[in-house]
Amino acid sequence: MTDPLSPHRHDALAWVAGSDAPEKSSVNLGFLPLTDAASLIVAATQGFAQPFGLTLNLQRQNSWSALRDKLIGGELDAAHGLYGLIYAVHLGIGGSPAVDMAVLMGLAQNGQSINLSAPLKAAGVTDAEALRASVRQSGARLTLAHTFPTGTHALWLNYWLAAHGIDPLRDVKTLVLPPSQMVAHLRAGRIDGFCAGEPWGAQAITEGVGFTLATSQSIWPDHPEKVLGCTRAFVEEYPNTARALVMAVLEASRFIDQSQENRRSTAQLIAGRDYVDAPLAAIESRFLGLYQDGLGNAWQDEHPLRFFGEGAANLPYLSDGLWFMTQLRRWGLLREDPDYLQVANQVQQIELYRQAAGALGIALPDSAMRSATLMDGKHWDGSDPATYARSFALHAMASPAMAAL
């Protein structure tokens, strides 16, 4: 295929002839109270949008479903979003009608966690082997929460459990909760654990109600996480605005990752009531890459939450979109194989990102495909997503014979 990063590629999202000024100067941005929304908060409040002719109006949402509905309905122009949410809407699964969607850029990599309750810790269920034994011996299934049926947290939780021989669809119960409600539900004993973004894993440890069993970066180092998403209609109607928005967020992302001091000041900013609304103590350590798991272990993580990484965290790689579709297929959320590459090319706005990054002097990777080896030893490079989706021992796909019935 033609590499989308080629400077010779032109499509409907090429720069509009004439003025490059944003067609729409005031942009409504949705976000959830999570530390990986930091680049949007910094862009909106610290002067990074004005040079590009934009005013960014931050609108905090209570849940991913509320954010999705407002994004589809036009109340939000763009949003801090889950990769799997954007693709689910585009593909018409997960409780919403199909609407053409767009991923403008990656907002962050790494920085999510799987956490279990204090009673499980007291019972010695503090590693994968003990959890697997508990699941198989217990008469009642454990209840584990994630944040959205097609979201990254559901998929990280499923992947980690399955890699350890625990079937996430049969061996445990799962339910959906907004990330900011995870700690309260864990404290009340309504759930036995959860997978969510920070600072909620750290807050569970701070309150003494839980511990971190695994980080998402231990599943896939430098994995894709949140994205800047919008409808395709927004990009087509306001291409200059979309490009300017990417440029503003790129500059904010570069600022955050520039130094630990910038990270500290950002942590203080986002802790505020209008943003994450959580204690600075719960935000700052993991924001700086300093982890404690609540079991007496502490470390400087080699793959902490990152917002820029010289642009490596921001390119909307085709292979990232492909991977999330393979997991939606693996767990039966997609009943049939989509045209993986065609869909990824529709959603990932690589040409628009190339324009924005190029204007800022940000280096572009050589390819829109990247490879990785995940925790179970499986290699992913995006070359054959349909076969990859079928390669897992634990899955929820019907056999070809059953699918034909």
Side-chain angles (χ1 to χ4, degrees):
M1 73 176 179
T2 301
D3 192 327
L5 295 182
S6 167
H8 304 295
R9 181 176 180 266
H10 299 283
D11 57 23
L13 298 180
W15 289 30
V16 176
S19 172
D20 290 337
E23 304 87 354
K24 178 183 175 75
S25 61
S26 182
V27 178
N28 294 328
L29 284 183
F31 74 99
L32 256 65
L34 294 161
T35 57
D36 54 25
S39 57
L40 294 190
I41 297 168
V42 169
T45 65
Q46 303 303 304
F48 288 97
Q50 286 80 0
F52 302 105
L54 296 179
T55 298
L56 305 182
N57 309 309
L58 293 173
Q59 297 186 16
R60 189 172 68 182
Q61 306 300 309
N62 293 323
S63 68
W64 290 117
S65 58
L67 181 144
R68 174 200 62 196
D69 293 346
K70 291 180 181 179
L71 196 58
I72 294 172
E75 190 173 334
L76 296 173
D77 295 312
H80 164 242
L82 299 163
Y83 239 118
L85 181 154
I86 300 297
Y87 271 84
V89 173
H90 188 85
L91 293 163
I93 61 175
S96 68
V99 175
D100 289 345
M101 299 298 288
V103 168
L104 300 178
M105 63 180 288
L107 291 179
Q109 295 176 334
N110 309 319
Q112 320 301 298
S113 60
I114 299 171
N115 307 276
L116 296 181
S117 68
L120 285 176
K121 175 182 174 181
V125 181
T126 57
D127 58 25
E129 184 177 353
L131 180 62
R132 184 170 59 248
S134 175
V135 164
R136 291 176 177 173
Q137 294 169 4
S138 174
R141 292 187 295 170
L142 297 177
T143 299
L144 304 177
H146 55 71
T147 65
F148 193 75
T150 63
T152 53
H153 304 108
L155 300 179
W156 301 137
L157 180 62
N158 284 5
Y159 201 101
W160 189 92
L161 290 170
H164 291 291
I166 301 169
D167 190 327
L169 303 186
R170 297 180 180 178
D171 294 339
V172 298
K173 295 178 182 177
T174 58
L175 59 84
V176 174
L177 292 172
S180 60
Q181 294 182 19
M182 294 294 185
V183 176
H185 280 260
L186 196 67
R187 186 192 311 115
R190 300 187 194 103
I191 58 175
D192 299 296
F194 66 87
C195 182
E198 296 301 337
W200 308 115
Q203 182 65 12
I205 294 170
T206 298
E207 293 190 19
V209 298
F211 67 95
T212 294
L213 181 65
T215 65
S216 57
Q217 55 266 33
S218 71
I219 299 171
W220 177 355
D222 296 333
H223 66 79
E225 184 48 42
K226 303 301 189 301
V227 296
L228 181 57
C230 63
T231 63
R232 176 79 183 200
F234 179 82
V235 182
E236 292 176 342
E237 187 171 356
Y238 307 111
N240 289 354
T241 301
R243 186 177 66 250
L245 176 59
V246 171
M247 293 172 76
V249 177
L250 276 172
E251 289 286 52
S253 303
R254 176 153 52 185
F255 168 82
I256 295 169
D257 273 9
Q258 201 166 42
S259 69
Q260 288 291 74
E261 185 53 42
N262 287 0
R263 281 184 171 257
R264 287 189 182 92
S265 65
T266 299
Q268 291 178 332
L269 170 68
I270 67 175
R273 181 174 297 179
D274 292 336
Y275 309 123
V276 179
D277 192 19
L280 179 60
I283 294 174
E284 187 175 64
S285 291
R286 292 188 177 187
F287 205 73
L288 297 173
L290 302 171
Y291 276 73
Q292 297 184 35
D293 62 3
L295 298 172
N297 303 305
W299 68 96
Q300 174 73 52
D301 204 289
E302 294 182 3
H303 300 277
L305 180 65
R306 70 172 181 171
F307 297 91
F308 185 59
E310 304 305 321
N314 307 119
L315 177 73
Y317 292 92
L318 286 178
S319 53
D320 289 353
L322 294 171
W323 188 86
F324 283 105
M325 283 190 282
T326 70
Q327 298 307 295
L328 297 176
R329 180 73 181 103
R330 175 187 180 183
W331 298 115
L333 294 159
L334 279 171
R335 301 294 296 274
E336 299 177 347
D337 286 315
D339 186 329
Y340 286 97
L341 193 56
Q342 181 184 67
V343 173
N345 271 308
Q346 291 168 352
V347 176
Q348 308 294 87
Q349 302 301 303
I350 293 175
E351 173 63 16
L352 183 121
Y353 177 85
R354 184 191 68 79
Q355 295 168 4
L360 296 173
I362 295 170
L364 289 163
D366 293 333
S367 173
M369 304 289 271
R370 64 179 181 135
S371 61
T373 300
L374 278 69
M375 62 174 289
D376 53 2
K378 283 192 173 292
H379 183 72
W380 165 250
D381 62 11
S383 61
D384 190 352
T387 298
Y388 179 84
R390 287 177 170 77
S391 69
F392 296 92
L394 283 176
H395 61 81
M397 291 187 287
S399 67
M402 291 297 293
L405 295 177

